[in-house]
Amino acid sequence: MALALKLAAAYLRNCYEGPSGISQYEQLIMRSLDDEESVPHAYPTTLVQAINLCWRRLAEQHDEAHQRAVFALQCAAFTESRQIPLQILLAAGVVDFDAILNFDTADGVLAYGLSNPPVGEIWRAMRS
């Protein structure tokens, strides 16, 4: 992951004048992932189209479990591909950021503590 970040940063710096070119870089990445000519033979769709289909199905649900699942997945998309405990990921959506900055680790761990919707229901929504 570190090498990928270094390469992306160098590409941004050299080709897009640094962080101000992030949106252009993101468009380039999305365009390359959605290149239909690069799809292997016998694959029905591009990676982007498959992800968009799954994302739309999840985001179209309006119950609270699905909406929290959408938020958790959005947060997870910006973290490294490691196993993040779901309760900690969900806490990002319900904890005040000032509380996080002032949190004393001696008090324990910040985690999702709501009973409605329960964590299991959000997990089910994420996997649907």
Side-chain angles (χ1 to χ4, degrees):
M1 184 66 167
L3 178 59
L5 288 175
K6 286 180 184 179
L7 290 173
Y11 193 86
L12 276 169
R13 185 180 62 244
N14 294 327
C15 300
Y16 290 107
E17 299 178 14
S20 63
I22 286 176
S23 64
Q24 294 168 312
Y25 179 70
E26 180 184 16
Q27 291 172 358
L28 173 70
I29 295 296
M30 293 306 289
R31 192 170 60 242
S32 67
L33 291 174
D34 202 20
D35 181 12
E36 292 186 11
E37 293 185 15
S38 68
V39 176
H41 178 68
Y43 272 59
T45 186
T46 66
L47 176 62
V48 170
Q49 290 169 343
I51 292 170
N52 281 338
L53 175 65
C54 293
W55 183 254
R56 276 194 307 273
R57 287 182 180 168
L58 180 64
E60 287 173 353
Q61 303 298 320
H62 296 291
D63 60 278
E64 190 172 356
H66 279 84
Q67 293 306 304
R68 290 200 185 274
V70 164
F71 182 80
L73 288 170
Q74 287 172 327
C75 291
F78 291 98
T79 60
E80 194 170 344
S81 60
R82 301 199 182 201
Q83 293 181 349
I84 304 167
L86 184 57
Q87 288 84 353
I88 292 175
L89 192 57
L90 293 174
V94 296
V95 176
D96 176 35
F97 287 106
D98 289 331
I100 293 172
L101 294 174
N102 297 318
F103 184 73
D104 183 1
T105 55
D107 293 335
V109 176
L110 281 176
Y112 181 80
L114 301 179
S115 59
N116 189 18
V119 172
E121 188 66 20
I122 297 169
W123 177 244
R124 185 200 59 74
M126 291 172 85
R127 296 181 66 202
S128 64

